[in-house]
């Protein structure tokens, strides 16, 4: 007797004949071939196609091929091309081809990376990523890594470990007693701290009024002379890579002061921590290895696919106490159980593509990629200055901050740039002025792309 339902029959057929996957591969290949000519941001004619997705939930099971077609033909043109050479918005990285391919495979495997017994391959690759990241960033041997969605969540994990450790030092058991009535921790941030750190501090129960703010220099680095007296109740957050200027805090000077005081140091190194993997930038990251926790993204400088955030912590007991979970059905093993280092239980196996990208590039290739982004940023700065813009940052890494003659001209120039379709970048405020942020974050950006983008910038300003 055939006990298979009609739905099951269809699903088995789809899975076994491989047609959907082959179509997806064809669509993907076409997409990538068109990418160099594709607009950096969708044109209005593409945006008009989006209404095709705004229908009621169908009553009945539909046609899978039709659905895939709809995604490819109406969704594809509405993607933003971070991976192209002329997209410089936010700090959105490109994708290495091996990362994309490994991600496809991982999607097919569809592994849950919570525990070794759920996926030996996911656990093994994560353990290997942890080892390589420690070597690349020169971190202490006892450092552990958790793979999360992005730097936001990685910072949450690092700060949760910090809260556990510092409260334990003050004889407070946060696990049992929570934050109510706890001894006060001192949170010390530079005024240029990224908004995600503040959001995560809020989630952990630290009100913004309790933050001790340290002034920064013109480039966004914390002013060391303004550091208050530190002690074992302190959590100090430093930055490797300011989101606007790309500058680095003075780790070499600050870290010994923090260490002596038993202050916990968390480093937000979303894109900049990768500088530690390049000898060319050793002077920028010198001392960063003495922090207690670090957050960094694979999906920015390393160009892994989205999403890939990493928390690193030199205090394994602190991070596992902060993030562990119990349940009689949880089967731990002597091998790596990754859920000890992340807030999630179920989690996709993002270690697959992270491992593949690092295995492919190797130590030298990673350094070369980091340096390439920097050299492209220097080239951009040189060309855009010649084009009459003011570059207002030191271009220490991959960010270039620009300004026209006044706020109004800067704003209108940016509108024109965004509407061009040729290139895309976003706004920010710096020292009270409107600025344009250019973030070079894709392996695919060539000098030719920059020449084309700079021409567009110059025309955009001319047309204000
Ligand atoms: C310095 C810094 N910190 C944190 C973040 C947030 O990272 P994510 O979007 O991966 O959570 C960013 C994003 O650009 C960043 O530049």
């Amino acid at each position: 007797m055939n006990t298979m339902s009609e739905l099951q029959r269809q699903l088995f057929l789809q899975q076994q004949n491989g047609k959907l996957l082959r179509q997806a591969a064809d669509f993907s290949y076409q997409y990538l071939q068109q990418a160099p000519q594709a607009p950096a941001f969708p044109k209005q004619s593409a945006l008009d196609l989006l209404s095709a997705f705004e229908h009621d939930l169908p009553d009945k099971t539909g046609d899978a091929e039709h659905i895939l077609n709809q995604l490819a033909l109406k969704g594809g043109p509405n993607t933003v091309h971070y991976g192209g050479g002329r997209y410089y918005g936010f700090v959105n990285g490109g994708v290495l081809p091996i990362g994309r391919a490994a991600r496809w495979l991982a999607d097919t495997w569809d592994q849950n990376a919570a525990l070794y017994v759920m996926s030996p391959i996911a656990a093994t690759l994560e353990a290997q990523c942890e080892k390589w990241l420690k070597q690349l960033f020169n971190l202490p041997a006892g450092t552990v890594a958790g793979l999360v969605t992005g730097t936001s969540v990685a910072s949450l994990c690092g700060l949760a470990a910090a809260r556990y450790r510092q409260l334990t030092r003050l004889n407070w058991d946060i696990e049992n007693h929570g934050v109510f009535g706890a001894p006060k921790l001192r949170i010390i941030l530079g005024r240029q701290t990224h908004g995600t750190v503040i959001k995560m501090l809020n989630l952990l129960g630290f009100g913004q009024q309790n933050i001790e703010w340290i002034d920064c220099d013109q480039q966004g680095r914390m002013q060391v002379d303004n550091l208050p007296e530190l002690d074992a109740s302190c959590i100090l957050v430093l930055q490797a890579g300011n989101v606007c200027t790309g500058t680095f805090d003075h780790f070499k000077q600050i870290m010994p002061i923090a260490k002596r005081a038993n202050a916990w140091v968390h480093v937000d190194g979303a894109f900049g921590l990768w500088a530690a993997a390049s000898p060319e930038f050793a002077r920028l990251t010198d001392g960063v290895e003495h922090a207690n926790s670090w957050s960094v993204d694979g999906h920015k400088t390393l160009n892994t696919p989205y999403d890939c955030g990493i928390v690193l912590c030199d205090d394994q007991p602190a991070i596992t106490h902060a993030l562990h979970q119990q349940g009689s059905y949880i089967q731990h093993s002597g091998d790596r159980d990754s859920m000890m280092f992340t807030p999630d239980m179920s989690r996709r196996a993002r270690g697959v593509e992270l491992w593949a990208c690092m295995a492919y590039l190797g130590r030298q290739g990673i350094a070369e990629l980091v340096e390439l982004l920097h050299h492209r940023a220097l080239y951009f700065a040189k060309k855009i200055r010649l084009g009459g813009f003011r570059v207002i940052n030191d271009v220490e890494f991959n960010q270039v901050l620009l300004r026209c003659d006044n706020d109004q001209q800067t704003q209108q120039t940016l509108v024109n740039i965004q509407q061009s379709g040729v290139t895309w970048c976003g706004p920010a405020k710096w020292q009270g002025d409107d600025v344009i942020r250019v973030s070079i974050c894709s392996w695919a950006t060539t000098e030719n792309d920059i020449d084309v983008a700079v021409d567009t910038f110059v025309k955009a300003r001319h047309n204000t």
Side-chain angles (χ1 to χ4, degrees), residues 5-63:
S5 75
E6 175 52 24
L7 178 61
Q8 273 183 305
R9 203 189 56 74
Q10 273 185 32
L11 295 174
F12 273 118
L13 191 66
Q14 285 168 13
Q15 183 159 291
Q16 276 160 7
N17 69 20
K19 209 166 159 194
L20 281 174
L21 284 184
R22 277 197 300 276
Q23 281 178 349
D26 285 346
F27 281 134
S28 304
Y29 187 57
Q30 283 161 20
Y31 177 86
L32 291 177
Q33 279 192 318
Q34 288 160 6
Q37 292 81 41
F41 189 87
K43 299 249 184 215
Q44 189 53 49
S45 53
L47 294 170
D48 292 341
L49 299 174
L50 285 171
S51 57
F53 296 96
E54 294 163 359
H55 54 72
D56 292 339
L57 178 66
D59 283 337
K60 299 222 169 86
T61 306
D63 175 348

Side-chain angles (χ1 to χ4, degrees), residues 91 150-153 194 196 239 241-243 268 270-271 297 299-300:
V91 195
T151 286
S152 308
V153 176
H194 196 268
T196 50
Q239 271 192 138
N242 176 287
V243 72
D268 174 356
F271 60 96
D297 278 325
H299 56 230
K300 293 189 166 72

Side-chain angles (χ1 to χ4, degrees), residues 68 109 121 137 177 179 202 313 330 337 376-377 396 425 428 442:
L68 197 64
W109 291 349
I121 180 62
F137 301 150
H177 303 304
V179 288
N202 284 344
C313 181
I330 308 284
D337 289 321
R376 292 286 179 266
E396 267 190 350
C425 55
S442 169

Side-chain angles (χ1 to χ4, degrees), residues 231-453:
D231 57 51
S233 71
C234 292
I235 299 174
L236 171 66
V237 181
L238 302 180
Q239 271 192 138
N242 176 287
V243 72
C244 285
T245 59
T247 53
F248 293 65
D249 279 331
H250 299 287
F251 304 114
K252 198 172 174 193
Q253 292 172 47
I254 298 174
M255 227 54 97
I257 304 172
K259 282 264 141 187
R260 269 197 303 278
N262 266 334
W264 182 288
V265 181
H266 177 79
V267 175
D268 174 356
F271 60 96
L273 192 59
W274 291 101
S278 149
E280 187 176 331
F281 294 110
R283 76 206 138 74
L284 294 179
T285 54
D286 193 8
V288 80
E289 66 278 9
H290 298 303
N292 303 96
S293 54
W294 305 261
S295 39
V296 58
D297 278 325
H299 56 230
K300 293 189 166 72
T301 311
L302 186 63
N303 281 214
T304 68
Y306 277 95
D307 47 25
C308 183
I310 305 152
V311 58
L312 293 142
C313 181
D314 78 341
D315 187 339
Q316 175 164 357
I319 194 161
T320 48
H321 268 98
L323 301 177
H324 79 260
Q325 158 210 327
Q326 281 161 359
S328 62
Y329 75 111
I330 308 284
Q331 186 181 332
H332 287 290
S333 65
D335 292 293
R336 182 184 166 91
D337 289 321
S338 300
M339 64 183 263
M340 306 294 284
F341 313 118
T342 66
D344 331 67
M345 185 171 172
S346 292
R347 200 166 43 90
R348 74 178 187 85
R350 46 177 77 82
V352 178
E353 59 262 22
L354 178 60
W355 177 87
C357 288
M358 290 198 287
Y360 167 70
L361 288 173
R363 188 183 274 279
Q364 280 181 18
I366 292 171
E368 202 178 317
L369 175 60
V370 172
E371 289 154 19
L372 175 96
L373 301 180
H374 172 60
H375 292 134
R376 292 286 179 266
L378 288 177
Y379 183 75
F380 195 106
K382 187 175 94 181
K383 297 294 275 198
I384 203 78
R385 270 194 200 102
L386 292 174
F389 285 71
R390 277 172 52 211
V391 174
I392 55 176
N393 68 325
D394 286 348
V395 194
E396 267 190 350
F397 202 49
N398 64 338
Q399 310 289 115
V400 188
L401 216 52
L402 310 172
R403 184 163 159 71
C404 301
D405 293 339
N406 53 53
D407 279 357
Q408 203 196 354
Q409 193 185 44
T410 306
Q411 284 167 16
Q412 191 51 51
T413 301
L414 183 62
V415 170
N416 294 349
I417 292 168
Q418 291 192 345
Q419 285 175 353
S420 73
V422 176
T423 179
W424 202 94
C425 55
K429 281 268 184 202
W430 190 256
Q431 316 282 357
D433 292 332
D434 281 301
V435 292
I436 298 173
R437 287 183 65 252
V438 171
S439 178
I440 311 278
C441 215
S442 169
W443 63 267
T445 296
T446 61
E447 289 191 348
N448 186 45
D449 283 315
I450 292 175
D451 291 341
V452 173

